[in-house]
Short mmCIF file of all heavy atoms in Angstrom, two decimals:
data_model
loop_
_atom_site.label_atom_id
_atom_site.label_comp_id
_atom_site.label_asym_id
_atom_site.label_seq_id
_atom_site.Cartn_x
_atom_site.Cartn_y
_atom_site.Cartn_z
N ALA A 35 -49.93 -23.65 54.58
CA ALA A 35 -50.06 -22.21 54.81
C ALA A 35 -49.01 -21.73 55.80
O ALA A 35 -48.40 -20.67 55.64
CB ALA A 35 -51.48 -21.89 55.33
N ALA A 44 -38.78 -15.72 56.17
CA ALA A 44 -37.34 -15.94 55.97
C ALA A 44 -36.82 -15.08 54.82
O ALA A 44 -35.72 -14.51 54.90
CB ALA A 44 -37.07 -17.41 55.68
N LEU A 45 -37.62 -14.97 53.77
CA LEU A 45 -37.22 -14.16 52.63
C LEU A 45 -37.10 -12.69 53.04
O LEU A 45 -36.15 -11.99 52.66
CB LEU A 45 -38.25 -14.30 51.51
CG LEU A 45 -37.98 -13.46 50.24
CD1 LEU A 45 -36.64 -13.83 49.63
CD2 LEU A 45 -39.11 -13.65 49.24
N ILE A 76 -2.40 15.46 52.06
CA ILE A 76 -1.17 15.53 52.86
C ILE A 76 0.04 15.31 51.98
O ILE A 76 1.05 16.03 52.07
CB ILE A 76 -1.22 14.50 54.01
CG1 ILE A 76 -2.30 14.88 55.03
CG2 ILE A 76 0.14 14.39 54.69
CD1 ILE A 76 -2.56 13.82 56.08
N ARG A 83 6.80 22.32 48.74
CA ARG A 83 8.05 23.04 48.99
C ARG A 83 9.11 22.72 47.94
O ARG A 83 10.11 23.45 47.82
CB ARG A 83 8.58 22.71 50.39
CG ARG A 83 7.70 23.26 51.50
CD ARG A 83 8.20 22.85 52.86
NE ARG A 83 9.50 23.45 53.14
CZ ARG A 83 10.39 22.93 53.99
NH1 ARG A 83 10.12 21.79 54.61
NH2 ARG A 83 11.54 23.55 54.19
N ALA A 114 -11.40 5.55 63.91
CA ALA A 114 -12.81 5.52 64.32
C ALA A 114 -13.62 6.64 63.69
O ALA A 114 -14.84 6.65 63.76
CB ALA A 114 -12.90 5.61 65.84
N GLU A 119 -16.49 13.55 60.12
CA GLU A 119 -15.35 14.01 60.91
C GLU A 119 -14.10 14.12 60.04
O GLU A 119 -13.31 15.06 60.18
CB GLU A 119 -15.11 13.04 62.07
CG GLU A 119 -14.07 13.54 63.06
CD GLU A 119 -13.92 12.63 64.27
OE1 GLU A 119 -14.72 11.67 64.39
OE2 GLU A 119 -13.00 12.87 65.07
N LYS A 141 3.34 35.02 45.03
CA LYS A 141 4.41 35.01 44.04
C LYS A 141 4.01 34.22 42.81
O LYS A 141 4.24 34.64 41.66
CB LYS A 141 5.67 34.40 44.66
CG LYS A 141 6.89 34.40 43.74
CD LYS A 141 7.38 35.79 43.45
CE LYS A 141 8.68 35.76 42.67
NZ LYS A 141 9.17 37.12 42.34
N GLU A 150 1.36 34.43 31.39
CA GLU A 150 0.29 34.28 30.41
C GLU A 150 0.36 35.38 29.34
O GLU A 150 0.11 35.12 28.17
CB GLU A 150 -1.07 34.31 31.11
CG GLU A 150 -1.38 33.00 31.85
CD GLU A 150 -2.81 32.96 32.36
OE1 GLU A 150 -3.53 33.97 32.20
OE2 GLU A 150 -3.19 31.91 32.91
N ASP A 182 16.75 18.78 8.28
CA ASP A 182 15.60 19.67 8.38
C ASP A 182 14.59 19.16 9.41
O ASP A 182 14.07 19.93 10.23
CB ASP A 182 14.92 19.82 7.02
CG ASP A 182 15.83 20.50 6.00
OD1 ASP A 182 16.68 21.30 6.43
OD2 ASP A 182 15.69 20.22 4.79
N VAL A 187 12.43 18.84 15.32
CA VAL A 187 12.35 18.10 16.58
C VAL A 187 13.02 18.91 17.69
O VAL A 187 12.45 19.13 18.77
CB VAL A 187 13.02 16.72 16.46
CG1 VAL A 187 13.06 16.02 17.83
CG2 VAL A 187 12.29 15.85 15.45
N TYR A 207 2.94 23.74 32.48
CA TYR A 207 3.41 22.36 32.33
C TYR A 207 2.67 21.65 31.19
O TYR A 207 3.25 20.84 30.47
CB TYR A 207 3.23 21.59 33.65
CG TYR A 207 4.19 22.02 34.73
CD1 TYR A 207 3.74 22.49 35.96
CD2 TYR A 207 5.58 21.97 34.52
CE1 TYR A 207 4.63 22.90 36.94
CE2 TYR A 207 6.46 22.38 35.50
CZ TYR A 207 5.98 22.85 36.71
OH TYR A 207 6.87 23.25 37.68
N HIS A 220 7.20 14.91 15.19
CA HIS A 220 8.21 15.09 14.14
C HIS A 220 9.22 13.94 14.15
O HIS A 220 9.68 13.50 13.09
CB HIS A 220 8.94 16.42 14.32
CG HIS A 220 8.15 17.61 13.88
ND1 HIS A 220 7.72 17.78 12.58
CD2 HIS A 220 7.67 18.68 14.57
CE1 HIS A 220 7.03 18.91 12.48
NE2 HIS A 220 6.99 19.47 13.68
N PHE A 224 10.85 10.67 10.44
CA PHE A 224 12.11 10.49 9.73
C PHE A 224 11.98 9.33 8.75
O PHE A 224 11.26 8.36 9.00
CB PHE A 224 13.23 10.20 10.72
CG PHE A 224 13.69 11.41 11.50
CD1 PHE A 224 13.26 11.60 12.81
CD2 PHE A 224 14.53 12.35 10.94
CE1 PHE A 224 13.67 12.69 13.55
CE2 PHE A 224 14.95 13.46 11.65
CZ PHE A 224 14.52 13.63 12.97
N GLN A 231 21.99 7.59 12.60
CA GLN A 231 20.86 8.51 12.70
C GLN A 231 19.76 7.92 13.58
O GLN A 231 19.15 8.63 14.39
CB GLN A 231 20.32 8.84 11.31
CG GLN A 231 21.25 9.71 10.47
CD GLN A 231 20.78 9.84 9.03
OE1 GLN A 231 20.02 9.00 8.52
NE2 GLN A 231 21.23 10.90 8.35
N ARG A 232 19.52 6.62 13.42
CA ARG A 232 18.52 5.95 14.25
C ARG A 232 18.88 6.06 15.72
O ARG A 232 18.03 6.31 16.58
CB ARG A 232 18.41 4.47 13.84
CG ARG A 232 17.56 3.60 14.77
CD ARG A 232 16.14 4.08 14.88
NE ARG A 232 15.46 4.02 13.60
CZ ARG A 232 14.27 4.57 13.38
NH1 ARG A 232 13.66 5.24 14.36
NH2 ARG A 232 13.70 4.49 12.19
N GLU A 233 20.15 5.89 16.04
CA GLU A 233 20.60 6.00 17.42
C GLU A 233 20.37 7.41 17.97
O GLU A 233 19.92 7.59 19.10
CB GLU A 233 22.09 5.64 17.50
CG GLU A 233 22.63 5.62 18.92
CD GLU A 233 24.09 5.18 18.98
OE1 GLU A 233 24.61 4.68 17.95
OE2 GLU A 233 24.71 5.35 20.05
N LYS A 239 14.05 10.71 21.34
CA LYS A 239 12.74 10.19 21.76
C LYS A 239 12.76 9.83 23.25
O LYS A 239 11.80 10.12 23.98
CB LYS A 239 12.35 8.96 20.94
CG LYS A 239 11.94 9.26 19.51
CD LYS A 239 11.55 7.95 18.81
CE LYS A 239 11.07 8.18 17.39
NZ LYS A 239 10.73 6.90 16.72
N SER A 241 14.64 11.08 25.62
CA SER A 241 14.64 12.32 26.40
C SER A 241 13.25 12.96 26.41
O SER A 241 12.79 13.45 27.45
CB SER A 241 15.67 13.30 25.81
OG SER A 241 15.64 14.53 26.49
N ILE A 246 8.18 14.42 29.12
CA ILE A 246 6.71 14.39 29.18
C ILE A 246 6.24 13.77 30.49
O ILE A 246 5.28 14.24 31.12
CB ILE A 246 6.14 13.61 27.97
CG1 ILE A 246 6.40 14.40 26.68
CG2 ILE A 246 4.64 13.37 28.14
CD1 ILE A 246 6.14 13.60 25.41
N HIS A 259 -3.35 12.14 35.39
CA HIS A 259 -1.97 12.60 35.23
C HIS A 259 -0.95 11.54 35.63
O HIS A 259 0.11 11.42 35.01
CB HIS A 259 -1.74 13.91 35.99
CG HIS A 259 -1.59 13.77 37.47
ND1 HIS A 259 -2.65 13.56 38.31
CD2 HIS A 259 -0.49 13.80 38.26
CE1 HIS A 259 -2.22 13.48 39.55
NE2 HIS A 259 -0.91 13.62 39.56
N ALA A 272 10.87 1.29 26.94
CA ALA A 272 10.85 0.47 25.72
C ALA A 272 12.07 0.79 24.85
O ALA A 272 12.54 -0.05 24.09
CB ALA A 272 9.57 0.73 24.94
N GLN A 306 19.69 -1.39 41.61
CA GLN A 306 20.66 -2.37 41.09
C GLN A 306 21.46 -1.78 39.93
O GLN A 306 22.67 -2.02 39.81
CB GLN A 306 19.93 -3.63 40.63
CG GLN A 306 20.87 -4.76 40.26
CD GLN A 306 20.14 -6.07 40.00
OE1 GLN A 306 18.91 -6.11 40.03
NE2 GLN A 306 20.87 -7.13 39.75
N PRO A 315 17.26 5.56 47.04
CA PRO A 315 17.04 5.01 48.38
C PRO A 315 16.07 5.84 49.23
O PRO A 315 15.36 5.29 50.07
CB PRO A 315 18.44 4.99 49.00
CG PRO A 315 19.28 5.86 48.15
CD PRO A 315 18.68 5.82 46.78
N GLN A 318 12.75 4.73 48.16
CA GLN A 318 12.58 3.36 48.65
C GLN A 318 12.14 3.35 50.11
O GLN A 318 11.23 2.61 50.49
CB GLN A 318 13.89 2.57 48.50
CG GLN A 318 14.14 2.04 47.10
CD GLN A 318 15.42 1.22 47.02
OE1 GLN A 318 16.48 1.68 47.44
NE2 GLN A 318 15.33 0.02 46.49
N MET A 339 -12.04 -7.17 63.50
CA MET A 339 -13.07 -8.04 62.94
C MET A 339 -13.17 -9.36 63.70
O MET A 339 -14.25 -9.88 63.93
CB MET A 339 -12.78 -8.31 61.46
CG MET A 339 -13.01 -7.13 60.55
SD MET A 339 -12.49 -7.47 58.85
CE MET A 339 -13.57 -8.84 58.43
#
Side-chain angles (χ1 to χ4, degrees):
L45 178 60
I76 292 171
R83 293 177 65 205
E119 189 175 353
K141 183 67 173 178
E150 285 189 356
D182 295 332
V187 174
Y207 289 122
H220 283 299
F224 286 101
Q231 290 172 338
R232 170 60 62 190
E233 184 177 349
K239 287 181 178 179
S241 177
I246 292 168
H259 76 283
Q306 188 171 4
Q318 280 182 308
M339 288 174 62

